[in-house]
Amino acid sequence: MSVDAFKQRFVLDTSLFLTEEIRRDGESLEDAVLRLLELIANARLNLGISCYVPPTIHDELTTMLEARDVSEEVYSKLNTWVIRKHPDRYAVSIPANVVYSFVAEMSGRVDRGLRVSEKAVRRAEDSADELLEDHEHKTEVDAVISELREKYRNAMRTGVLDSREDFDLLILARELEAGVVTEDRGIIDWTEDFGLRYIRGREFPALLEQYLTAVDPDSKRTID
């Protein structure tokens, strides 16, 4: 099979790099990310496979990696082998049905959010503002508020486009006719409406490894 047959474009989500699903047994996050970036580099050198991120995703990812104290080598390889590109938000068209579905979805979520809030208010009315038995500072009302936050977040955000990063990812993939690589269930659900192909992040390293088996060992290029 011709190497040209493997030439593809992928747009990568933050979740690809952070999911534990790409780690081998006993492998740290940094080692897993470095191995992934090496696969991306070798796929680009040998097969012309290009991987992209919107700048908003790049910023989100680097912030999260900084919080995990990874080495400079990770940033160096990320900036070398993963292409940063702004999506062309003015040129890329979105089907009206996608917007219609989004409005309907958000309307329903607002109603669910209100119901969650109403239940929490009623529980708070019946709760004593006293310290919990197993906690020195937290009262029963505090517990209700904490539960409200979690349930409200799930009602409003799970499975929906709730950030610029998610939107940029989908728009860039549509612009480039690229596959989306993510572990985010909400993004996966929206790839159908955007007419995009996708691959789960956990499957991406194995996919690149399989593609690279088609490269003639005598002509194979590596980053080492």
Side-chain angles (χ1 to χ4, degrees):
M1 183 179 293
S2 168
V3 168
D4 287 341
F6 290 93
K7 288 185 177 180
Q8 296 188 52
R9 292 172 172 175
F10 295 97
V11 180
L12 313 180
D13 182 34
T14 299
S15 61
L16 161 66
F17 296 89
L18 301 183
T19 179
E20 292 188 2
E21 299 294 339
I22 67 166
R23 301 190 205 178
R24 294 171 175 168
D25 290 342
E27 192 174 42
S28 68
L29 178 141
E30 179 171 331
D31 289 340
V33 171
L34 285 172
R35 178 169 52 83
L36 171 62
L37 290 170
E38 184 172 341
L39 283 170
I40 290 172
N42 288 331
R44 184 172 173 185
L45 287 171
N46 293 282
L47 300 169
I49 292 174
S50 300
C51 292
Y52 295 78
V53 291
T56 49
I57 292 283
H58 182 273
D59 292 346
E60 178 185 64
L61 174 59
T62 53
T63 297
M64 292 185 176
L65 291 175
E66 286 169 3
R68 290 160 175 79
D69 199 28
V70 301
S71 67
E72 287 299 319
E73 183 182 6
V74 172
Y75 303 111
S76 176
K77 288 186 176 180
L78 176 67
N79 293 333
T80 300
W81 299 110
V82 179
I83 303 164
R84 270 177 283 181
K85 184 185 184 306
H86 287 283
D88 190 344
R89 302 187 189 101
Y90 292 98
V92 176
S93 61
I94 300 174
N97 186 60
V98 172
V99 180
Y100 182 86
S101 298
F102 180 78
V103 172
E105 174 74 15
M106 291 310 300
S107 177
R109 284 176 182 271
V110 169
D111 290 339
R112 291 201 294 274
L114 286 172
R115 287 195 293 272
V116 167
S117 301
E118 289 167 359
K119 289 179 181 179
V121 170
R122 296 186 187 281
R123 279 189 56 198
E125 286 179 340
D126 297 333
S127 300
D129 196 17
E130 299 176 357
L131 294 177
L132 297 174
E133 292 182 4
D134 58 346
H135 204 287
E136 294 184 7
H137 306 291
K138 193 173 185 179
T139 67
E140 290 184 22
V141 172
D142 291 330
V144 172
I145 292 172
S146 179
E147 184 178 338
L148 167 61
R149 286 174 176 167
E150 183 63 27
K151 289 185 176 180
Y152 189 84
R153 185 182 298 111
N154 288 336
M156 295 300 294
R157 299 187 64 179
T158 302
V160 71
L161 290 180
D162 63 352
S163 69
R164 293 185 308 153
E165 291 82 5
D166 292 353
F167 188 74
D168 280 348
L169 181 81
L170 293 167
I171 294 298
L172 182 59
R174 187 172 173 89
E175 176 188 345
L176 298 175
E177 298 183 351
V180 172
V181 185
T182 184
E183 278 289 314
D184 188 314
R185 183 70 252 176
I187 292 175
I188 290 173
D189 290 343
W190 280 92
T191 56
E192 180 179 357
D193 292 321
F194 277 75
L196 299 169
R197 57 193 172 90
Y198 76 89
I199 181 170
R200 295 291 295 270
R202 67 189 68 183
E203 300 167 352
F204 192 56
L207 176 73
L208 296 181
E209 288 172 350
Q210 189 63 35
Y211 281 172
L212 287 166
T213 62
V215 179
D216 183 350
D218 294 331
S219 62
K220 189 173 183 178
R221 302 165 64 191
T222 67
I223 61 174
D224 297 328

